[in-house]
Amino acid sequence: MDISGLTNIFATSMYGALALVALWGIYCVTMVWARVAQKRFRSEAQQDAFLEAVEEPLERGDFEEASELCESDPRALPQLAYLAIENREIGYSQVKQLVVERFQRDVLADLDHRISWINTVIKGAPMVGLLGTVTGMMGAFAKLATADKVDAGAMANDISLALITTALGLVIAIPLTFALNSINIRIRKMEDLVAVGLTRFMGSLREAIATETMHELEEVGVISE
């Protein structure tokens, strides 16, 4: 088989590669979108309703009930609240640091890892398309070099087909870019909402811990009622 045939086969295989890249990009976007939806409250009103429900048992010093309200909720704030309640014995400052580190590691870092795959697809799809175009052009010119008579129409058709892979790469990358920007906006909104919720919750938890400590000191007789 001559070089023209080999380059044509390789260029044609780029269509399959682009299809796989597109499917992987769609899968990654879907997974990240679902992950963000799983970790965030849809509105500040929903988050406030959750915080009010948790603050009620905290005011009574019922940490077990507050913990149960948070444990089964997969969203970021309830899970962080559960972590804080379960580790309250280490002190308020340490709990606050623990919660922030866990949010960064388990939520934001996980999303960053998933987003990195979308960025890879956005950068890689045009490159795969360009590779298909280059090999297609190589095949077209190799055919031209060995032809006894140049057929301008056939030559233009070969070049047109070669350029399709670059166009497909851009068709894949451009929508994914818009989708990624939308995801990043949702993540920033989630961060802001979680930060507001954590500030409120940690204030309530600090008061509950202080009250619990005071009651413990009263019980051992360190301070009088």
Side-chain angles (χ1 to χ4, degrees):
M1 184 179 293
D2 59 11
I3 187 171
S4 176
L6 290 174
T7 53
N8 285 336
I9 291 174
F10 187 80
T12 303
S13 69
M14 290 299 101
Y15 290 105
L18 285 169
L20 293 176
V21 168
L23 290 174
W24 178 248
I26 294 171
Y27 171 77
C28 290
V29 167
T30 303
M31 291 298 295
V32 175
W33 191 276
R35 182 71 170 173
V36 174
Q38 181 189 41
K39 291 297 181 181
R40 66 190 286 264
F41 283 95
R42 291 187 177 181
S43 66
E44 190 170 356
Q46 284 189 352
Q47 180 170 283
D48 288 341
F50 164 76
L51 289 171
E52 289 172 3
V54 174
E55 286 170 349
E56 183 179 347
L58 286 179
E59 290 175 358
R60 302 194 309 267
D62 191 344
F63 291 99
E64 183 177 352
E65 181 181 344
S67 179
E68 290 176 354
L69 288 173
C70 301
E71 185 178 8
S72 59
D73 195 325
R75 289 172 288 196
L77 182 59
Q79 288 300 304
L80 294 172
Y82 174 75
L83 178 68
I85 293 171
E86 292 298 304
N87 292 274
R88 65 186 184 277
E89 294 84 3
I90 65 177
Y92 174 78
S93 299
Q94 287 77 10
V95 167
K96 185 175 181 180
Q97 182 177 357
L98 175 64
V99 166
V100 172
E101 290 177 352
R102 190 63 65 87
F103 180 57
Q104 292 288 335
R105 187 189 70 187
D106 292 352
V107 180
L108 297 183
D110 176 63
L111 290 173
D112 285 341
H113 172 72
R114 296 169 188 264
I115 285 174
S116 67
W117 283 107
I118 302 176
N119 280 318
T120 300
V121 173
I122 290 173
K123 295 176 182 178
M127 300 298 290
V128 174
L130 183 59
L131 178 60
T133 293
V134 170
T135 54
M137 295 286 284
M138 289 171 61
F141 284 112
K143 186 185 298 183
L144 176 63
T146 57
D148 295 330
K149 184 179 179 181
V150 177
D151 186 342
M155 182 68 179
N157 185 59
D158 289 343
I159 294 175
S160 176
L161 289 174
L163 292 172
I164 289 176
T165 55
T166 294
L168 290 175
L170 294 173
V171 167
I172 294 170
I174 291 172
L176 290 180
T177 300
F178 286 107
L180 181 59
N181 287 336
S182 178
I183 288 172
N184 284 329
I185 291 172
R186 287 167 65 88
I187 291 175
R188 287 196 294 271
K189 288 182 178 179
M190 180 189 70
E191 285 186 71
D192 293 340
L193 199 59
V194 169
V196 171
L198 274 180
T199 300
R200 175 176 168 178
F201 171 79
M202 293 304 293
S204 300
L205 182 64
R206 178 170 56 183
E207 294 178 3
I209 292 174
T211 301
E212 182 185 43
T213 302
M214 184 176 296
H215 289 163
E216 290 176 352
L217 293 175
E218 289 175 353
E219 289 178 358
V220 298
V222 176
I223 60 175
S224 58
E225 298 183 3

